[in-house]
Amino acid sequence: MTTKKIYDVLIIGGGPAGYVAAIRCAQLGFNTGCIERWVSNENKPALGGTCLNVGCIPSKALLDSSHHFEFLQKECGNHGIDAKATIDVAKMMARKDKIVSGLTQGIAGLFKKNKVDWLQGSASFKDSKTVIVKDTSGQEETASASHFIIASGSIPIELESAKVDSERIVDSSGALSFPEIPKRVCVIGAGVIGLELGSVWRRLGTDVTVLEAAPDFLPTTDLSISKEALKIFKRQGLNIKLGAKVLNADVHEKHVEVKYQINESEKVEKFDKIIVAVGRRANTSNLGLDKIGISTDERGFIEVDDLCRTSVENIYAVGDCVRGPMLAHKASEEGVAVAEHLAGQKSHIDFNNVPWVIYTWPEIAWVGKNEQQLTQENRAFKSGVFPFLASGRAHAMGDNQGFVKVIADANTDSILGVHIIGANASELIAEAVLAMEFGASAEDLARTIHGHPTLSESLHEAALAVDARAIHF
Ligand code: FAD
Ligand code: NAD
């Protein structure tokens, strides 16, 4: 064991929760260290966590590449462009890997700039003020701090009936690195990962079947959005089967056989690969939490209050390892909030204003409450819908699927939720988030001038539609 390092704040995990917390702590004048053990495919230590290495960034890189490919194959003819598209998977993967390594190195650069100490290795608590950091060669050092922020993230949930072997049966990380286009893929789970990665491979030519155990499709989205999405995704060729229970997966030399139950009958199908995407659980079992009296729930989540305080006074926890949505931006905001709280500032996160985005095409994005939730809460609301079919810009782009829905309180007109399915929904939602953050009414949005011709005019029109006065629909 080597010398002891001493910090004001030590952060465990260098993902979007941890690295952002570290930078903010350093900006606020704390002597800050961040312990991260990730080792990249090239066997190099890397910051950025799940998000940069095997999550948000690589998945979006492949979604963009495959979107361009599909456009060239199926749509560019409509623009009078004659193109023959072929795909070089190795090159597409190399592009993705380059983006990832560029961005992860960028975080290392930000650490240097902000004087955050990166301790490379795996941390586990010795006591509430000290951790042991073990590097890849097994060398150990201790580090202590007045405050700790646990940001250890999450890992995929495994399925007994389809155990990941990283060959035929993979998790999301494996599905981001297929060396060639598989002919037939079974995705287990029609959640965010299943739909995004299922879309990537479908666009590249794979026959994709998605087996979803639940009877409903995307139950956390507004019902009108999930209905529209299911219709569109099926039309695109995603073979989505709801209420499908996977019984077992038999790996053979050249294929994997999946037995599943649907509508009380059993089916067996052969695939080249299975992608298991049935959710994620907190990554907290390796932290030695028992040594400091912090307990976790059955999915490993650390219990925290609104300020991300654990049951131990000087220890906070943020990001995927605590309650709330497993989203990078939520994780980062919690990191900032804790840093500012430690500096004596007032910090607050409104979980109702966290945007959600699914990067399929069309994209799906929402903020606030949906109609089902409001009905359940017995809250009186009114909603306005505007289809992209009536948007000039959407027509010019050749992308007029979907719609925008604005939901407002029936009495006060304050915006309660905005739900979008359509091109660039991921960008459009930002205006709605800002409006809700400022407590805007539908009337406020309706009175805001939007550039023409833009997709954002559809948000404007949906706000007008709340009061039955949309102009173009
Ligand atoms: P993580 O990013 O998981 O980082 C935790 C870090 O802690 C890891 O680097 C880990 O190595 C480290 N660590 C853990 N234990 C220790 C230890 N004992 N010692 C040292 N280090 C440790 N979210 C979005 O908002 N948008 C998206 O588009 C999106 N796409 C995704 C796509 C995929 C395929 C996946 C899997 C996830 C996606 N997510 C997306 C979710 C997003 O990646 C997570 O919400 C986010 O990474 C959580 O950040 P975090 O810092 O809490 O955890
Ligand atoms: P998820 O919770 O979104 O979806 C999992 C799906 O699997 C659910 O529909 C669930 O009903 C289904 N399921 C569970 N057990 C099953 C079984 N045995 N058989 C068949 N289906 C089963 O989880 P995910 O897609 O794995 O994503 C994990 C997390 O990563 C999400 O919480 C999400 O927030 C985050 N993520 C976000 C983005 C984004 O923001 N665009 C992208 C990817 C991942």
Side-chain angles (χ1 to χ4, degrees):
M1 192 115 35
T2 53
T3 42
K4 189 165 170 173
K5 294 182 174 166
I6 300 170
Y7 296 91
D8 296 329
V9 187
L10 252 181
I11 292 137
I12 302 176
Y19 85 74
V20 170
I23 291 171
R24 190 70 189 118
C25 281
Q27 283 175 346
L28 290 162
F30 293 116
N31 174 16
T32 307
C34 180
I35 310 164
E36 173 56 71
R37 63 178 178 195
W38 198 285
V39 178
S40 73
N41 291 343
E42 300 104 54
N43 217 17
K44 289 190 185 141
L47 291 162
T50 303
C51 169
L52 269 76
N53 290 285
V54 291
C56 321
I57 299 300
S59 60
K60 267 76 253 180
L62 296 187
L63 278 157
D64 272 327
S65 297
S66 59
H67 184 62
H68 293 317
F69 180 66
E70 187 164 54
F71 173 79
L72 286 174
Q73 277 207 322
K74 299 191 178 154
E75 281 165 46
C76 72
N78 299 334
H79 294 258
I81 303 167
D82 187 14
K84 266 203 189 75
T86 58
I87 184 96
D88 179 337
V89 175
K91 215 165 169 179
M92 177 182 76
M93 291 297 174
R95 172 186 177 273
K96 174 210 69 175
D97 292 341
K98 197 170 162 207
I99 293 166
V100 168
S101 69
L103 291 173
T104 55
Q105 283 164 30
I107 311 278
L110 290 173
F111 271 18
K112 272 205 183 107
K113 181 182 155 202
N114 288 283
K115 300 193 175 50
V116 174
D117 224 359
W118 174 10
L119 288 74
Q120 293 172 4
S122 203
S124 84
F125 281 99
K126 193 170 168 220
D127 56 55
S128 65
K129 296 267 167 105
T130 318
V131 285
I132 298 168
V133 184
K134 194 178 190 172
D135 72 14
T136 43
S137 66
Q139 282 273 359
E140 288 185 354
E141 64 177 345
T142 56
S144 60
S146 313
H147 291 97
F148 281 89
I149 305 176
I150 303 172
S152 56
S154 64
I155 47 176
I157 292 176
E158 290 178 3
L159 264 190
E160 257 319 293
S161 52
K163 283 201 169 150
V164 169
D165 63 6
S166 300
E167 266 300 315
R168 293 272 164 211
I169 308 180
V170 300
D171 57 20
S172 54
S173 301
L176 289 167
S177 296
F178 288 156
E180 55 195 35
I181 300 167
K183 280 206 175 66
R184 293 201 69 200
V185 159
C186 172
V187 179
I188 307 180
V192 199
I193 293 181
L195 292 172
E196 290 186 1
L197 296 183
S199 295
V200 166
W201 293 105
R202 179 200 60 73
R203 292 170 189 168
L204 299 177
T206 303
D207 181 358
V208 178
T209 294
V210 185
L211 300 180
E212 167 59 52
D216 303 318
F217 182 64
L218 290 179
T220 51
T221 59
D222 190 85
L223 198 58
S224 62
I225 299 269
S226 54
K227 267 193 185 158
E228 182 75 0
L230 185 59
K231 203 171 70 194
I232 294 174
F233 296 155
K234 281 190 167 175
R235 200 164 60 219
Q236 290 173 346
L238 273 185
N239 186 11
I240 300 169
K241 298 186 179 187
L242 301 175
K245 184 168 185 255
V246 174
L247 301 172
N248 71 291
D250 257 349
V251 176
H252 297 256
E253 200 186 327
K254 295 212 164 128
H255 68 272
V256 52
E257 212 165 70
V258 179
K259 191 197 265 188
Y260 62 96
Q261 193 175 33
I262 188 163
N263 300 329
E264 282 165 34
S265 68
E266 278 184 16
K267 303 225 157 154
V268 180
E269 285 191 61
K270 284 182 188 171
F271 298 94
D272 297 313
K273 303 270 187 194
I274 296 179
I275 303 171
V276 180
V278 294
R280 295 175 66 83
R281 62 186 167 83
N283 181 20
T284 48
S285 60
N286 58 1
L287 295 165
L289 294 179
D290 48 328
K291 297 217 178 75
I292 50 172
I294 290 182
S295 51
T296 56
D297 71 10
E298 72 284 356
R299 281 180 70 189
F301 291 112
I302 297 170
E303 209 171 293
V304 288
D305 66 9
D306 285 354
L307 290 170
C308 298
R309 288 180 290 212
T310 69
S311 55
V312 177
E313 207 195 343
N314 64 318
I315 302 180
Y316 294 70
V318 294
D320 276 15
C321 68
V322 302
R323 46 82 193 113
M326 288 183 164
L327 297 172
H329 41 285
K330 172 264 189 187
S332 298
E333 283 310 312
E334 284 182 334
V336 169
V338 169
E340 293 181 352
H341 172 73
L342 289 176
Q345 297 181 9
K346 188 170 156 38
S347 53
H348 168 72
I349 296 175
D350 187 345
F351 284 101
N352 191 46
N353 290 349
V354 175
W356 290 76
V357 180
I358 307 177
Y359 296 82
T360 45
W361 201 266
E363 292 179 337
I364 296 170
W366 73 93
V367 59
K369 302 229 162 135
N370 60 40
E371 289 198 0
Q372 307 91 279
Q373 288 169 319
L374 293 167
T375 306
Q376 209 167 33
E377 288 171 17
N378 254 334
R379 185 135 184 208
F381 64 89
K382 47 191 180 164
S383 50
V385 173
F386 188 79
F388 287 109
L389 202 59
S391 152
R393 184 62 191 273
H395 277 280
M397 289 167 63
D399 232 325
N400 55 18
Q401 304 176 87
F403 57 86
V404 180
K405 179 190 269 189
V406 173
I407 308 175
D409 187 286
N411 303 310
T412 65
D413 195 43
S414 70
I415 300 171
L416 302 176
V418 175
H419 305 265
I420 307 175
I421 176 167
N424 300 355
S426 58
E427 303 292 342
L428 293 173
I429 201 66
E431 180 184 352
V433 179
L434 189 69
M436 287 185 63
E437 195 63 35
F438 278 76
S441 61
E443 181 68 15
D444 289 325
L445 262 190
R447 284 181 182 272
T448 302
I449 302 171
H450 289 70
H452 174 77
T454 59
L455 294 177
S456 70
E457 286 171 297
S458 303
L459 188 57
H460 179 229
E461 289 269 11
L464 285 165
V466 168
D467 199 26
R469 56 190 166 105
I471 301 294
H472 293 92
F473 184 64

